[in-house]
Amino acid sequence: MPEPTGPKQSAAPAVAPQSPPLWLLAELTYKCPLQCPYCSNPLDFADHGEELTTEQWIDVFRQARKMGAAQLGFSGGEPLVRRDLEQLIAEGRKLGYYTNLITSGIGLNADRIAAFREAGLDHIQISFQASDETVNNMLAGSDKAFQQKLKMAREVKAQGYPMVLNFVTHKHNIDRIDRIIELCVELEADFVELATCQYYGWAYENKESLLPTRAQLERAERITNEYRDKLAAAGNPIKLIFVTPDYYEERPKKCMNGWGEIFLTVTPDGTALPCHSARMLPIEFPNVKDSSLQHIWRDSFGFNHFRGDDWMQEPCRSCDEKELDLGGCRCQAYMLAGDMNAADPVCSKSPHHQTILDARAAAENSGEDSPITFRNERNSRVFARG
């Protein structure tokens, strides 16, 4: 990873947020029984502090709701590891949140789904690694993962929840996109996110093994569109959402719909972030143990630094498209350009765009047998030691 471009800072520029946080993501824990090589958790997660207590999480929920947050997501790691998850869900419901559980399904059972429903959980999303059991279990690091996921997906549907599935696609599974969609149809899914891997955290470390070629990506998108038409003609209401990776775009995305505009992430140890990957940046982000959410959102340096456009360098500063993408992703700029204030290298106008072209070229020459660094505590401790 590139070295920081400057010292960490704590004084906040005087930039007022344009809206309250609407979406609170509670990363309850970094513990997880799986070892997915594209996990968005920080590489050094094993070196982070103690998790927030039940009471501390509930206080965070109350503060965010008072500020205007309407949606509460429970994620991790694997949030099912938290024994207080039912209580946290119930408190979220009492406060008036729409609640969403993002889970691998490992550790789930029929009784717990029923308990979540009783507590008021609105939505469960189950993630798969692949449609093929062997590939799924290899990536997950568990020979029981695939069958457990199938069982829990069916149980979620049986207990009256909408069936929401997520498949992260990459070189190891994208050529089986037709089978992935067929499996989703078999499971009577209502919504399916076919999210081509984005390269942050562990996925960035594994991009040579994971990044598909342009031809693979175009074929997968074509097949997805064909299935959309076929399923619609058959009256099947399933929604297929295909997400293209940044590395095959010529203009960057408006990261998190604007830095510090809508999304607020709180990590297991209480660090507050404008997006779940921002912890990698050379910025001192505040902690909910030390400051109120109101202060964090409105006044902290971390949340104000990339609001507005005063921070922008060229070519972003004078670009007539800057309002559309706000310079793109700050984490991507830091990883690929070594400067968090630079234009996102995804943009063809960026002086660092060659790093994206090089990654595309490398994808043409790498295969599924490229080495993989799996997300686990042992590897995380190696990263933590530097």
Side-chain angles (χ1 to χ4, degrees):
M1 187 174 289
E3 290 297 316
T5 57
K8 294 193 175 187
Q9 304 175 62
S10 58
V15 180
Q18 298 178 2
S19 63
L22 300 178
W23 211 104
L24 172 63
L25 181 65
E27 290 187 329
L28 299 179
T29 181
Y30 286 143
K31 297 183 179 72
C32 183
L34 303 185
Q35 58 173 17
C36 305
Y38 46 77
C39 181
S40 62
N41 287 168
L43 297 173
D44 61 349
F45 70 83
D47 200 38
H48 288 201
E50 292 184 3
E51 296 175 2
L52 295 181
T53 66
T54 305
E55 292 72 25
Q56 287 171 325
W57 273 118
I58 292 172
D59 185 52
V60 168
F61 300 166
R62 287 173 180 154
Q63 290 185 61
R65 186 74 181 110
K66 186 176 181 179
M67 292 169 65
Q71 184 158 330
L72 172 58
F74 299 103
S75 75
E78 175 49 68
L80 294 174
V81 172
R82 290 281 300 216
R83 296 183 179 181
D84 58 356
L85 182 54
E86 288 85 345
Q87 182 180 352
L88 295 177
I89 290 169
E91 292 294 334
R93 166 50 68 92
K94 288 178 186 175
L95 290 166
Y97 283 104
Y98 180 90
T99 52
N100 174 31
L101 173 63
I102 304 166
T103 176
S104 68
I106 307 302
L108 197 58
N109 56 46
D111 290 343
R112 203 159 191 203
I113 295 172
F116 292 158
R117 192 162 188 80
E118 179 67 22
L121 183 66
D122 293 296
H123 177 282
I124 300 175
Q125 174 185 295
I126 293 182
S127 62
F128 279 76
Q129 281 70 35
S131 59
D132 176 86
E133 183 168 6
T134 301
V135 175
N136 186 102
N137 292 349
M138 180 274 291
L139 293 170
S142 166
D143 60 6
K144 298 179 180 179
F146 186 72
Q147 291 300 323
Q148 169 69 6
K149 290 169 182 290
L150 289 179
K151 183 178 179 181
M152 288 305 100
R154 294 185 177 110
E155 186 63 35
V156 165
K157 184 82 172 182
Q159 294 207 28
Y161 280 103
M163 170 74 72
V164 183
L165 302 179
N166 172 269
F167 284 80
V168 176
T169 61
H170 42 74
K171 191 181 288 287
H172 292 268
N173 63 12
I174 198 167
D175 289 334
R176 303 170 182 85
I177 196 77
D178 51 349
R179 177 56 192 142
I180 289 175
I181 296 172
E182 288 167 3
L183 175 61
C184 294
V185 173
E186 290 170 20
L187 291 172
E188 300 181 83
D190 297 285
F191 300 91
V192 179
E193 184 178 28
L194 303 168
T196 315
C197 194
Q198 305 288 4
Y199 295 93
Y200 305 93
W202 294 86
Y204 182 77
E205 295 297 316
N206 289 300
K207 65 179 182 295
E208 288 187 11
S209 175
L210 297 175
L211 183 65
T213 65
R214 182 181 291 278
Q216 286 179 305
L217 183 68
E218 290 176 347
R219 175 182 176 273
E221 189 165 18
R222 173 179 57 77
I223 290 173
T224 300
N225 288 331
E226 290 171 356
Y227 267 93
R228 283 177 179 144
D229 293 340
K230 181 168 67 174
L231 291 166
N236 190 321
I238 186 173
K239 304 295 183 187
L240 302 177
I241 302 165
F242 189 92
V243 181
T244 303
D246 292 356
Y247 278 43
Y248 285 102
E249 300 286 0
E250 297 302 318
R251 290 291 182 271
K253 62 180 178 290
K254 187 178 183 181
C255 190
M256 304 306 291
N257 204 40
W259 180 277
E261 294 293 326
I262 293 175
F263 295 94
L264 171 60
T265 296
V266 178
T267 69
D269 67 1
T271 302
L273 303 171
C275 84
H276 59 266
S277 295
R279 200 165 193 163
M280 73 172 68
L281 299 175
I283 293 176
E284 192 72 48
F285 287 103
N287 194 293
V288 299
K289 298 174 186 174
D290 307 318
S291 304
S292 69
L293 279 188
Q294 183 85 355
H295 171 79
I296 288 170
W297 184 259
R298 294 184 58 185
D299 304 318
S300 69
F301 176 86
F303 277 77
N304 277 310
H305 185 63
F306 293 115
R307 284 175 172 148
D309 58 16
D310 287 347
W311 59 271
M312 287 184 180
Q313 303 174 358
E314 295 295 348
C316 296
R317 180 174 289 277
S318 59
C319 180
D320 58 6
E321 298 179 69
K322 70 180 181 182
E323 296 300 326
L324 298 177
D325 57 43
L326 298 179
C329 176
R330 297 301 86 222
C331 296
Q332 214 147 237
Y334 182 57
M335 288 188 295
L336 298 176
D339 181 357
M340 66 179 181
N341 298 297
D344 187 336
V346 163
C347 184
S348 62
K349 298 180 181 182
S350 165
H352 301 282
H353 186 60
Q354 187 63 43
T355 59
I356 296 294
L357 301 182
D358 291 344
R360 295 176 192 171
E364 299 289 338
N365 299 314
S366 64
E368 293 182 18
D369 58 347
S370 299
I372 298 175
T373 301
F374 288 98
R375 180 256 193 231
N376 54 48
E377 288 205 11
R378 179 175 175 238
N379 286 333
S380 180
R381 291 191 193 100
V382 172
F383 285 113
R385 290 196 299 267

Short mmCIF file of all heavy atoms in Angstrom, two decimals, residues 275-304:
data_model
loop_
_atom_site.label_atom_id
_atom_site.label_comp_id
_atom_site.label_asym_id
_atom_site.label_seq_id
_atom_site.Cartn_x
_atom_site.Cartn_y
_atom_site.Cartn_z
N CYS A 275 -17.34 5.96 4.88
CA CYS A 275 -17.58 4.74 4.10
C CYS A 275 -16.79 3.62 4.76
O CYS A 275 -15.86 3.88 5.53
CB CYS A 275 -17.20 4.91 2.63
SG CYS A 275 -15.45 4.63 2.26
N HIS A 276 -17.16 2.38 4.47
CA HIS A 276 -16.57 1.27 5.22
C HIS A 276 -15.10 1.05 4.91
O HIS A 276 -14.41 0.33 5.64
CB HIS A 276 -17.37 -0.01 4.98
CG HIS A 276 -17.45 -0.43 3.56
ND1 HIS A 276 -18.51 -0.07 2.75
CD2 HIS A 276 -16.63 -1.17 2.79
CE1 HIS A 276 -18.32 -0.58 1.54
NE2 HIS A 276 -17.18 -1.24 1.53
N SER A 277 -14.56 1.64 3.83
CA SER A 277 -13.14 1.45 3.48
C SER A 277 -12.26 2.62 3.92
O SER A 277 -11.04 2.54 3.82
CB SER A 277 -13.00 1.27 1.97
OG SER A 277 -13.63 0.09 1.54
N ALA A 278 -12.85 3.69 4.41
CA ALA A 278 -12.10 4.94 4.64
C ALA A 278 -11.03 4.81 5.69
O ALA A 278 -10.13 5.65 5.78
CB ALA A 278 -13.07 6.05 5.02
N ARG A 279 -11.06 3.77 6.48
CA ARG A 279 -10.07 3.62 7.55
C ARG A 279 -8.65 3.51 7.02
O ARG A 279 -7.68 3.76 7.74
CB ARG A 279 -10.42 2.38 8.38
CG ARG A 279 -9.80 2.35 9.76
CD ARG A 279 -10.48 1.31 10.63
NE ARG A 279 -10.13 1.48 12.02
CZ ARG A 279 -10.80 0.94 13.03
NH1 ARG A 279 -11.88 0.22 12.78
NH2 ARG A 279 -10.42 1.13 14.28
N MET A 280 -8.49 3.14 5.76
CA MET A 280 -7.15 3.02 5.18
C MET A 280 -6.49 4.38 4.94
O MET A 280 -5.28 4.47 4.74
CB MET A 280 -7.22 2.27 3.84
CG MET A 280 -7.81 3.08 2.71
SD MET A 280 -7.67 2.25 1.11
CE MET A 280 -8.77 0.86 1.34
N LEU A 281 -7.27 5.46 4.94
CA LEU A 281 -6.74 6.77 4.59
C LEU A 281 -5.93 7.37 5.74
O LEU A 281 -6.18 7.08 6.91
CB LEU A 281 -7.89 7.71 4.23
CG LEU A 281 -8.75 7.29 3.04
CD1 LEU A 281 -9.92 8.25 2.86
CD2 LEU A 281 -7.92 7.21 1.76
N PRO A 282 -4.97 8.24 5.43
CA PRO A 282 -4.16 8.89 6.47
C PRO A 282 -4.90 10.04 7.13
O PRO A 282 -4.49 11.20 7.09
CB PRO A 282 -2.93 9.37 5.69
CG PRO A 282 -3.44 9.63 4.32
CD PRO A 282 -4.48 8.58 4.07
N ILE A 283 -6.05 9.70 7.71
CA ILE A 283 -6.91 10.67 8.40
C ILE A 283 -7.23 10.10 9.77
O ILE A 283 -7.50 8.90 9.90
CB ILE A 283 -8.22 10.93 7.62
CG1 ILE A 283 -7.93 11.63 6.30
CG2 ILE A 283 -9.20 11.76 8.45
CD1 ILE A 283 -9.16 11.83 5.43
N GLU A 284 -7.24 10.92 10.78
CA GLU A 284 -7.61 10.49 12.13
C GLU A 284 -9.13 10.58 12.24
O GLU A 284 -9.69 11.67 12.43
CB GLU A 284 -6.95 11.38 13.17
CG GLU A 284 -7.05 10.85 14.59
CD GLU A 284 -6.15 9.64 14.81
OE1 GLU A 284 -4.97 9.69 14.44
OE2 GLU A 284 -6.67 8.65 15.36
N PHE A 285 -9.80 9.45 12.13
CA PHE A 285 -11.26 9.45 12.23
C PHE A 285 -11.69 9.35 13.69
O PHE A 285 -11.05 8.67 14.50
CB PHE A 285 -11.86 8.30 11.42
CG PHE A 285 -11.79 8.51 9.93
CD1 PHE A 285 -10.84 7.86 9.17
CD2 PHE A 285 -12.66 9.39 9.31
CE1 PHE A 285 -10.76 8.06 7.80
CE2 PHE A 285 -12.58 9.61 7.94
CZ PHE A 285 -11.63 8.94 7.18
N PRO A 286 -12.79 10.03 14.05
CA PRO A 286 -13.23 10.06 15.44
C PRO A 286 -13.89 8.76 15.87
O PRO A 286 -14.28 7.93 15.05
CB PRO A 286 -14.24 11.21 15.45
CG PRO A 286 -14.76 11.26 14.05
CD PRO A 286 -13.63 10.86 13.17
N ASN A 287 -14.03 8.60 17.18
CA ASN A 287 -14.63 7.41 17.76
C ASN A 287 -15.85 7.79 18.57
O ASN A 287 -15.84 8.81 19.28
CB ASN A 287 -13.61 6.68 18.65
CG ASN A 287 -14.04 5.28 19.01
OD1 ASN A 287 -15.01 5.07 19.73
ND2 ASN A 287 -13.30 4.30 18.50
N VAL A 288 -16.91 6.98 18.47
CA VAL A 288 -18.16 7.28 19.18
C VAL A 288 -17.99 7.18 20.69
O VAL A 288 -18.83 7.67 21.44
CB VAL A 288 -19.30 6.35 18.72
CG1 VAL A 288 -19.57 6.55 17.23
CG2 VAL A 288 -18.98 4.89 19.02
N LYS A 289 -16.90 6.55 21.16
CA LYS A 289 -16.64 6.50 22.60
C LYS A 289 -16.18 7.85 23.13
O LYS A 289 -16.30 8.13 24.32
CB LYS A 289 -15.57 5.46 22.90
CG LYS A 289 -15.92 4.03 22.52
CD LYS A 289 -14.71 3.13 22.73
CE LYS A 289 -14.95 1.73 22.23
NZ LYS A 289 -13.73 0.89 22.29
N ASP A 290 -15.65 8.68 22.23
CA ASP A 290 -15.06 9.96 22.64
C ASP A 290 -15.88 11.18 22.25
O ASP A 290 -15.73 12.24 22.85
CB ASP A 290 -13.67 10.11 22.01
CG ASP A 290 -12.77 8.92 22.30
OD1 ASP A 290 -12.78 8.44 23.45
OD2 ASP A 290 -12.07 8.46 21.37
N SER A 291 -16.73 11.05 21.22
CA SER A 291 -17.46 12.21 20.70
C SER A 291 -18.88 11.82 20.36
O SER A 291 -19.16 10.65 20.03
CB SER A 291 -16.78 12.75 19.43
OG SER A 291 -15.43 13.08 19.67
N SER A 292 -19.78 12.77 20.39
CA SER A 292 -21.15 12.51 19.98
C SER A 292 -21.21 12.36 18.46
O SER A 292 -20.37 12.89 17.73
CB SER A 292 -22.06 13.66 20.41
OG SER A 292 -21.77 14.84 19.64
N LEU A 293 -22.22 11.64 17.97
CA LEU A 293 -22.38 11.51 16.52
C LEU A 293 -22.63 12.86 15.88
O LEU A 293 -22.20 13.11 14.75
CB LEU A 293 -23.54 10.56 16.20
CG LEU A 293 -23.27 9.06 16.26
CD1 LEU A 293 -24.48 8.30 15.71
CD2 LEU A 293 -22.02 8.66 15.51
N GLN A 294 -23.34 13.74 16.58
CA GLN A 294 -23.61 15.07 16.06
C GLN A 294 -22.29 15.81 15.79
O GLN A 294 -22.11 16.41 14.72
CB GLN A 294 -24.45 15.86 17.06
CG GLN A 294 -24.86 17.25 16.60
CD GLN A 294 -26.13 17.23 15.76
OE1 GLN A 294 -26.66 16.18 15.44
NE2 GLN A 294 -26.61 18.41 15.40
N HIS A 295 -21.37 15.74 16.74
CA HIS A 295 -20.07 16.39 16.57
C HIS A 295 -19.28 15.71 15.46
O HIS A 295 -18.66 16.39 14.62
CB HIS A 295 -19.29 16.35 17.87
CG HIS A 295 -17.87 16.81 17.73
ND1 HIS A 295 -17.53 18.15 17.66
CD2 HIS A 295 -16.70 16.11 17.59
CE1 HIS A 295 -16.22 18.26 17.50
NE2 HIS A 295 -15.69 17.04 17.46
N ILE A 296 -19.28 14.39 15.45
CA ILE A 296 -18.55 13.64 14.44
C ILE A 296 -19.03 14.01 13.05
O ILE A 296 -18.24 14.31 12.15
CB ILE A 296 -18.70 12.12 14.68
CG1 ILE A 296 -17.91 11.71 15.93
CG2 ILE A 296 -18.28 11.32 13.46
CD1 ILE A 296 -18.20 10.30 16.39
N TRP A 297 -20.33 14.02 12.85
CA TRP A 297 -20.91 14.25 11.52
C TRP A 297 -20.73 15.71 11.07
O TRP A 297 -20.42 15.96 9.92
CB TRP A 297 -22.39 13.88 11.55
CG TRP A 297 -23.08 13.99 10.23
CD1 TRP A 297 -23.90 15.00 9.80
CD2 TRP A 297 -23.04 13.05 9.15
NE1 TRP A 297 -24.36 14.76 8.53
CE2 TRP A 297 -23.84 13.56 8.11
CE3 TRP A 297 -22.40 11.83 8.96
CZ2 TRP A 297 -24.03 12.88 6.90
CZ3 TRP A 297 -22.58 11.15 7.76
CH2 TRP A 297 -23.38 11.69 6.75
N ARG A 298 -20.90 16.63 12.00
CA ARG A 298 -20.89 18.05 11.61
C ARG A 298 -19.51 18.69 11.68
O ARG A 298 -19.18 19.55 10.85
CB ARG A 298 -21.85 18.83 12.51
CG ARG A 298 -23.32 18.47 12.34
CD ARG A 298 -24.21 19.36 13.18
NE ARG A 298 -24.02 20.78 12.84
CZ ARG A 298 -24.59 21.79 13.49
NH1 ARG A 298 -25.37 21.54 14.52
NH2 ARG A 298 -24.38 23.03 13.12
N ASP A 299 -18.70 18.31 12.66
CA ASP A 299 -17.52 19.12 12.97
C ASP A 299 -16.17 18.42 12.79
O ASP A 299 -15.14 19.10 12.76
CB ASP A 299 -17.60 19.60 14.43
CG ASP A 299 -18.87 20.38 14.71
OD1 ASP A 299 -19.25 21.19 13.85
OD2 ASP A 299 -19.48 20.17 15.77
N SER A 300 -16.13 17.10 12.69
CA SER A 300 -14.84 16.42 12.67
C SER A 300 -14.12 16.62 11.34
O SER A 300 -14.73 16.77 10.28
CB SER A 300 -15.02 14.91 12.92
OG SER A 300 -15.66 14.29 11.83
N PHE A 301 -12.79 16.62 11.43
CA PHE A 301 -11.97 16.76 10.22
C PHE A 301 -12.26 15.62 9.25
O PHE A 301 -12.40 15.84 8.04
CB PHE A 301 -10.48 16.76 10.61
CG PHE A 301 -9.57 16.79 9.41
CD1 PHE A 301 -9.22 17.99 8.83
CD2 PHE A 301 -9.08 15.61 8.87
CE1 PHE A 301 -8.39 18.02 7.71
CE2 PHE A 301 -8.25 15.63 7.76
CZ PHE A 301 -7.90 16.84 7.18
N GLY A 302 -12.34 14.39 9.77
CA GLY A 302 -12.53 13.24 8.90
C GLY A 302 -13.76 13.33 8.04
O GLY A 302 -13.74 12.97 6.85
N PHE A 303 -14.86 13.83 8.59
CA PHE A 303 -16.11 13.89 7.83
C PHE A 303 -16.21 15.16 6.98
O PHE A 303 -16.99 15.21 6.04
CB PHE A 303 -17.31 13.76 8.77
CG PHE A 303 -17.65 12.35 9.10
CD1 PHE A 303 -16.88 11.63 10.02
CD2 PHE A 303 -18.70 11.70 8.48
CE1 PHE A 303 -17.16 10.32 10.31
CE2 PHE A 303 -18.99 10.37 8.76
CZ PHE A 303 -18.22 9.67 9.69
N ASN A 304 -15.43 16.16 7.28
CA ASN A 304 -15.50 17.40 6.52
C ASN A 304 -14.45 17.51 5.41
O ASN A 304 -14.61 18.29 4.47
CB ASN A 304 -15.33 18.61 7.45
CG ASN A 304 -16.64 19.01 8.11
OD1 ASN A 304 -17.66 19.17 7.44
ND2 ASN A 304 -16.62 19.15 9.42
#
